[in-house]
Each structure stands twice: as C-alpha cells, then as structure tokens.
Amino acid sequence: MRQVALLATVALLALLLWQYVKRSEMPGLLDSEKSTRGIKQPAREAALPLLPDKTGTRRWKLQALLDKTHALPGVNVHLAGRARAQVLDRPPRYLFSVTTGHSGSTSLSHGSNYIGPATAAIKFTFENLGGTPENNRAWRDWWDSRPSRQDQQERVRTVYKSLVESQLLGPDKKDLYNTYVDLGHHSVHGILGSIPAVFGDHAILLRLRRSRPDTAFSLSKGDICRNQFRVCPLTNPVSLAPHGKNWTTKLWQTLSSVQKAFWYIDEVEAEWQKLLLEYPSASYVECNWKDDLLPCFQIVAILLDVEVNTASKAFHSKPHKTDDDFVDYEELQEQDQLYQELMGFAATAPPG
C-alpha cells in the first residue's frame, strides 16, 4: 500500500509540474491568476485595482489581497487556519523563502531596504546556517549524505530552529527581536520540507519565482552541482528524474548547463508542490516576477509592517544584468523543449 501511495504522489507531482512548466513557457512570467496547485481560476471581467502603496493599514492591505478586491502584480496571499488571524494582527515570527536563488532573494533579505519603526524588532539575515564557511560545509556534507525525511526534520528541529531562536535573543537571553527574516535559498539543503512541522503557524513562506528563462540563464553560468546551496541529483535525494530512471553521472552530463538549470528550477518547484500536498494548511505568499521585483518588496514590507526604502543603496528591483548579458529567448526555449522531452514531461500531459 505504501508503494502504491508513493507512486500516486509521484504521478501527481509530475502532472502538477507539467502544468507549471506549460504556464511558464517563453518568454514568460508565471501567470499569477492561475493556481500553482494546477487549478485554473475563473476568468475575471476586469483587472483588479492595484493595491495603494501609501494609504490603508497593514491589516486592510492584507485583507484586500486575501479577498482579492485589490492586487499586487504577481502576488498571491494564502493564509490558513490560526496563521490567518495571527498574521492579520501582527507580523509573523518567522519569514522564510522557497526559491532557487538568482531570483532577488539577496535584495529582499537586506534590512536597509526597509524603513519604519518596526524594523528595530526585525532580525534580517541571509542564508544563515551558522555564519561561518565551516558551518555551511558541515550542513552541505550532511545534505550530501542523502538524509531521510525523518532525519531532515530532526536536524531542522534540533539544529536549525535552535540557531534561528538564538538570533532573536539579546545578551540577557530574552527576545531582542520579534521577527526573523531569512529569504535565502539555503532552505534547499533539507530545510524546506520541515518548516511547517517545525515552525508551525508562526512561519510564513515566501514562494519567490523569477521568470523561468531568466532564472535558467542566470543559473547556467555555472555548474548547478558546484553551487554553495543547491540540489544535485548525483548527491542529494530528488523527486525528478528522466522517465523515472535513476540519475547517473553519465546521464546528468548529457544535459547542457542551461538544461541542468531548468531541471533545478523544476526540482525546487516539485519540492514546493510536495510541501503543499503534505501540509495543505501551510500559510504562504507567492511572488512571481520578470522585470520588476518591486511588488515582492511591497508584499514583504506589508507582512513586516514596514515600508520599502527605494532610496537604499542596496535596493535593486530590476534584473541584475550587464551589457554583455544578451538573453537569447529562442535558444532558451529550444533548450527547455529538449529538456522536457528528455524528462518525459510531455508524456504526463492531460488529454486536450
């Protein structure tokens, strides 16, 4: 029975991922009017009015986004259960992200990009697994040992949560900060899937997605498996493999660098979909963007009860590209299509 249930879950993940890939085809941005759970929302007769930036209380803005009377481009807010009342009343205790990296997470985590009295009670940090290269290597070595889901949850509960809590304390061991913010992609190292169980209703997840082709282009400049924080099918437990086969070094090397980037993007999405299946009452915010990160800044600021500091030297709301960064979207589309055929995603397409 357990094997049947596992196969059913894998099949559902494959279907959801195929739908996700189809929604994010070139040159595009994910359509924020479609659910990441694979269910199309009814078409609206007219676009929603944009959420006002300078008027309205924090609670009113969140309620407007929840009730869909107003909108932020690319933003979807999902607050469930006790977290709904808690977050409407005050900022969350913990704010983490689900992202591939190369998606604006560094800028969004920078405390100087926000202003307001509430910033004094917020601990901003980034990709913090202990603050030293040795800590990062130790965590990566553990991640590369292919820990089970149970082992992952145990380490997050006993090691990572203790680290987070210690960052909130002052010298007297009492709370110095009320909110912990780390929007880095270190969570792909076995942390993501355990956040709802370990941090409960006090944690909000930011599902941050930059457009698929731009993310793949940015990630393809290096080897995914050599990144500091990554998921590598040769060393880590993964959900996606070509036609369900086991990854081998030979098979992995048949992918181009950009195809490996597309796989990594989809693997993070698969882990996200798995989390939603396992924890349907999890509270989260999605921000999908291509050319302007500002709506993502705005929803983070609303959650934290602060304002966006666009005058900050660390503030970047546009894609980070140099004059030499020419993005050939047609070539990326061809590479993506070849990758999808290799993975067998087309075989999971629903009729029609």
Side-chain angles (χ1 to χ4, degrees), residues 316-329:
H316 299 285
S317 66
K318 306 294 182 183
H320 311 319
K321 298 177 182 176
T322 68
D323 292 338
D324 297 328
D325 284 344
F326 171 73
V327 183
D328 187 338
Y329 288 107

Side-chain angles (χ1 to χ4, degrees), residues 81-319:
R82 290 183 299 175
R84 186 183 182 99
Q86 291 174 2
V87 175
L88 283 172
D89 185 54
R90 59 188 181 277
R93 175 75 169 175
Y94 317 101
L95 182 61
F96 302 112
S97 78
V98 182
T99 177
T100 58
H102 293 242
S103 59
S105 54
T106 304
S107 297
L108 289 171
S109 288
H110 209 294
S112 66
N113 290 331
Y114 307 94
I115 54 176
T119 57
I122 302 171
K123 175 63 177 180
F124 289 98
T125 187
F126 186 64
E127 295 179 347
N128 190 345
L129 289 175
T132 68
E134 291 75 22
N135 292 130
N136 290 342
R137 281 196 294 270
W139 199 285
R140 178 167 170 164
D141 289 345
W142 166 79
W143 177 229
D144 287 351
S145 72
R146 298 179 183 267
S148 67
R149 280 285 190 180
Q150 182 177 355
D151 290 339
Q152 291 174 39
Q153 189 170 126
E154 179 64 19
R155 185 175 179 88
V156 172
R157 187 184 307 278
T158 59
V159 179
Y160 185 64
K161 190 171 190 293
S162 296
L163 168 66
V164 170
E165 293 298 337
S166 71
Q167 297 289 303
L168 294 172
L169 300 178
D172 59 357
K173 302 302 180 183
K174 295 182 179 179
D175 277 359
L176 180 62
Y177 303 101
N178 297 327
T179 299
Y180 182 90
V181 177
D182 190 336
L183 303 179
H185 70 289
H186 62 299
S187 61
V188 301
H189 277 190
I191 297 172
L192 167 60
S194 300
I195 287 177
V198 173
F199 292 90
D201 293 332
H202 299 291
I204 300 296
L205 291 165
L206 172 67
R207 179 62 179 108
L208 181 63
R209 300 185 188 91
R210 186 181 177 186
S211 70
R212 180 178 175 84
D214 289 307
T215 305
F217 176 78
S218 182
L219 288 167
S220 67
K221 296 178 181 181
D223 188 327
I224 287 294
C225 287
R226 294 181 181 176
N227 287 352
Q228 182 176 15
F229 301 115
R230 83 292 187 260
V231 184
C232 176
L234 304 180
T235 56
N236 306 128
V238 300
S239 297
L240 303 178
H243 297 279
K245 299 177 182 178
N246 291 326
W247 282 105
T248 63
T249 301
K250 182 178 180 180
L251 182 57
W252 178 245
Q253 294 306 329
T254 63
L255 275 67
S256 67
S257 60
V258 73
Q259 288 172 345
K260 291 175 181 177
F262 280 127
W263 173 85
Y264 172 61
I265 292 167
D266 290 344
E267 178 65 25
V268 173
E269 183 66 26
E271 288 303 308
W272 171 243
Q273 297 293 340
K274 187 186 295 184
L275 181 148
L276 295 181
L277 288 172
E278 188 172 355
Y279 301 100
S281 62
S283 293
Y284 60 90
V285 171
E286 295 173 294
C287 190
N288 307 312
W289 70 284
K290 177 176 172 59
D291 294 318
D292 192 354
L293 189 60
L294 183 58
C296 301
F297 275 110
Q298 290 173 318
I299 189 56
V300 170
I302 291 170
L303 286 170
L304 299 177
D305 197 19
V306 296
E307 295 181 9
V308 181
N309 181 17
T310 57
S312 167
K313 292 183 179 179
F315 181 81
H316 299 285
S317 66
K318 306 294 182 183

